[in-house]
Amino acid sequence: MTESNFSLKKIEISVSEAEKRTGRNAMNMQETYTAYLIETRSVEHSDGQSVLTDSLWRRCSAFEWLRNYLLVYYPHIVVPPLPEKRAEFVWHKLSADNMDPDFVERRRIGLENFLLRLASHPILCRDKIFYLFLTQEGNWKETVNETGFQLKADSRLKALNATFRVKNPDKRFIELKHYSDELQSVISHLLRVRARVADRLYGVYKVHGNYGRVFSEWSAIEKEMGDGLQSECWSSYGCV
């Protein structure tokens, strides 16, 4: 669904804020989620007048909805990925809380990059649904549903399944599939081991950081030992 009368290359896009909210999900159960403020501003100034900035809030599920739509309608285009939905690698942060400020900030930057990459694409930047995602506050999902993209996605999956149902499959492809499955299992195991090792190293660094603060505070109390404690702090623990 492209249109030639607008282009997102002429609009500045930013995801400027993140906000923790509480609402009801599809099962009418209370949930906590993060909403992101999308701001758009026209690059072209007309008649010397100031250009107003439009803004609206979107939650992460709306970004996923947009990407799923683009994947269906533009199968020949590599649609940019979304940032991770949850912190899977513990060395990135102190906890696995998805509301952690550092994680939310990384996701905000990732979502902004996602929109900027879409807007810089010569075809995707002219998509009407993408434009409405940035400008239409309410009923945006209803507009997406009217395109029938979900039915197209389901029919495409059925056609794909039918393609792979072969009575006499080539043994080479079967062996390749077994190899890829085994390789995936090995890589997953290595990543889990790497996560455990990195978690322990992070704990060691954290303890050493506490030692640095102890030496720094100690040097402020023990005036005669201050210089020695400060040098020990700098040489061993990198105090600031």
Side-chain angles (χ1 to χ4, degrees), residues 214-223 225-227 229-230:
V214 170
F215 276 113
S216 180
E217 294 174 1
W218 191 3
S219 65
I221 297 174
E222 301 289 345
K223 301 298 182 181
M225 302 171 57
D227 294 339
L229 290 172
Q230 283 290 350

Side-chain angles (χ1 to χ4, degrees), residues 76-88:
H76 58 287
I77 295 177
V78 179
V79 180
L82 289 168
E84 72 275 14
K85 193 172 184 179
R86 58 182 58 85
E88 297 180 353

Side-chain angles (χ1 to χ4, degrees), residues 105-134:
E105 175 62 14
R106 290 199 308 274
R107 186 158 177 82
R108 181 196 66 79
I109 296 174
L111 293 174
E112 180 176 283
N113 290 334
F114 169 74
L115 295 180
L116 292 176
R117 291 181 65 181
L118 294 181
S120 64
H121 194 277
I123 297 177
L124 299 181
C125 71
R126 298 182 178 276
D127 184 86
K128 181 179 179 181
I129 296 299
F130 181 29
Y131 179 79
L132 294 178
F133 175 85
L134 299 172

Side-chain angles (χ1 to χ4, degrees), residues 78-240:
V78 179
V79 180
L82 289 168
E84 72 275 14
K85 193 172 184 179
R86 58 182 58 85
E88 297 180 353
F89 302 104
V90 293
W91 63 83
H92 284 172
K93 54 205 297 302
L94 294 176
S95 68
D97 183 12
N98 291 338
M99 297 297 172
D100 177 81
D102 292 337
F103 173 73
V104 172
E105 175 62 14
R106 290 199 308 274
R107 186 158 177 82
R108 181 196 66 79
I109 296 174
L111 293 174
E112 180 176 283
N113 290 334
F114 169 74
L115 295 180
L116 292 176
R117 291 181 65 181
L118 294 181
S120 64
H121 194 277
I123 297 177
L124 299 181
C125 71
R126 298 182 178 276
D127 184 86
K128 181 179 179 181
I129 296 299
F130 181 29
Y131 179 79
L132 294 178
F133 175 85
L134 299 172
T135 58
Q136 182 174 311
E137 180 70 31
N139 301 323
W140 175 77
K141 281 192 175 181
E142 287 75 4
T143 305
V144 180
N145 285 330
E146 292 175 357
T147 64
F149 91 97
Q150 194 64 53
L151 294 176
K152 288 190 175 183
D154 295 340
S155 62
R156 184 167 298 173
L157 287 176
K158 291 180 181 179
L160 187 62
N161 290 334
T163 302
F164 282 102
R165 286 198 299 267
V166 182
K167 292 183 178 180
N168 298 315
D170 193 320
K171 292 183 179 180
R172 293 175 300 173
F173 293 107
I174 295 178
E175 293 174 356
L176 181 61
K177 182 180 183 304
H178 290 165
Y179 172 78
S180 62
D181 292 340
E182 183 178 355
L183 180 61
Q184 180 183 6
S185 177
V186 172
I187 293 177
S188 299
H189 177 70
L190 289 176
L191 289 176
R192 288 193 295 269
V193 173
R194 180 189 177 193
R196 290 196 296 267
V197 173
D199 190 25
R200 293 180 182 179
L201 286 176
Y202 184 81
V204 173
Y205 296 150
K206 185 180 177 182
V207 171
H208 282 197
N210 292 332
Y211 286 160
R213 287 192 293 271
V214 170
F215 276 113
S216 180
E217 294 174 1
W218 191 3
S219 65
I221 297 174
E222 301 289 345
K223 301 298 182 181
E224 298 180 355
M225 302 171 57
D227 294 339
L229 290 172
Q230 283 290 350
S231 63
E232 179 68 18
C233 175
W234 277 101
S235 62
S236 301
Y237 306 106
C239 294
V240 293

